[in-house]
Amino acid sequence: MNKMTKLLLTAGLMMTATLAIAHSGHGEQVNNGFLSGLLHPMMGLDHLLAMGAIGFWSIRQNTTMKRGTPLFVVGGMIAGASLAWAGVSLAGIETGIAMSVLLVGVLIATLAKLPTAIGGTLVALFMVAHGYAHGTEMTQGSSLLLYMAGFVVATLAITFVGRGLGTMMLKADNRITRALGGVVAIIGGVLAAG
């Protein structure tokens, strides 16, 4: 199996997980902190698209931004979850999540290149919203550290799948990348409107 087939298969499997349930941690779900944290980012189309699309977009950025994106993603996720666990109330989180999908789609569609300070801040802010949602939806009785370790691993995995796909798309016609960005932006717009 070649690299492209593996990446597409992985992305396909991650996308089909969203058909089962929007988010883990509700009802009679697995009450293991690590597993719950690991599954949560993979169970929502909004999380999958944002993290994967950020990874995809980061490949066309300057070297510092490209290398730093996984750190900005994880840092934002941990910061957002920490705010939730500290009891800080943030309004409009679901809208922020949907807007992160829309905006990263626009960044991909326009082939936008941002300075590291702006791009890194934007990515971290996107991920604060996602991390906050993860923090508020942690399964009761889960270990905080295990849950956080799980969603960090999942977040990095999704981001690196996006980066892999972005790397392969560097050799493709830019119109395909622009179209993919447009699709992501449209889905983000639908999520924001819903």
Side-chain angles (χ1 to χ4, degrees), residues 92-178:
I93 287 299
E94 290 302 322
T95 301
I97 290 170
M99 292 304 294
S100 72
V101 175
L102 186 149
L103 291 174
V104 77
V106 169
L107 290 173
I108 292 170
T110 60
L111 303 176
K113 293 186 179 184
L114 300 177
T116 303
I118 294 170
T121 301
L122 195 59
V123 167
L125 288 174
F126 289 167
M127 291 299 101
V128 164
H130 289 269
Y132 188 88
H134 292 320
T136 60
E137 296 173 358
M138 183 173 82
T139 305
Q140 191 171 7
S142 293
S143 161
L144 186 133
L145 289 177
L146 287 174
Y147 182 77
M148 184 169 53
F151 77 64
V152 165
V153 168
T155 296
L156 286 173
I158 297 165
T159 303
F160 278 101
V161 167
R163 288 168 66 93
L165 186 57
T167 299
M168 289 188 299
M169 292 304 293
L170 287 173
K171 297 174 185 162
D173 188 328
N174 281 342
R175 290 177 292 186
I176 297 170
T177 296
R178 289 179 185 275

Side-chain angles (χ1 to χ4, degrees), residues 9-82:
L9 181 60
T10 301
L13 288 172
M14 290 166 66
M15 295 295 265
T16 58
T18 63
L19 299 175
I21 186 168
H23 293 98
S24 66
H26 303 288
E28 298 298 319
Q29 300 262 337
V30 175
N31 195 20
N32 174 309
F34 181 78
L35 186 57
S36 182
L38 185 70
L39 293 176
H40 189 270
M42 296 187 191
M43 296 298 195
L45 182 61
D46 48 1
H47 299 309
L48 283 171
L49 282 177
M51 294 168 200
I54 286 170
F56 185 99
W57 170 77
S58 73
I59 291 301
R60 292 179 182 262
Q61 301 309 298
N62 65 52
T63 304
T64 304
M65 183 66 201
K66 188 184 333 183
R67 289 183 181 159
T69 294
L71 297 175
F72 299 135
V73 169
V74 169
M77 289 285 290
I78 291 172
S82 296

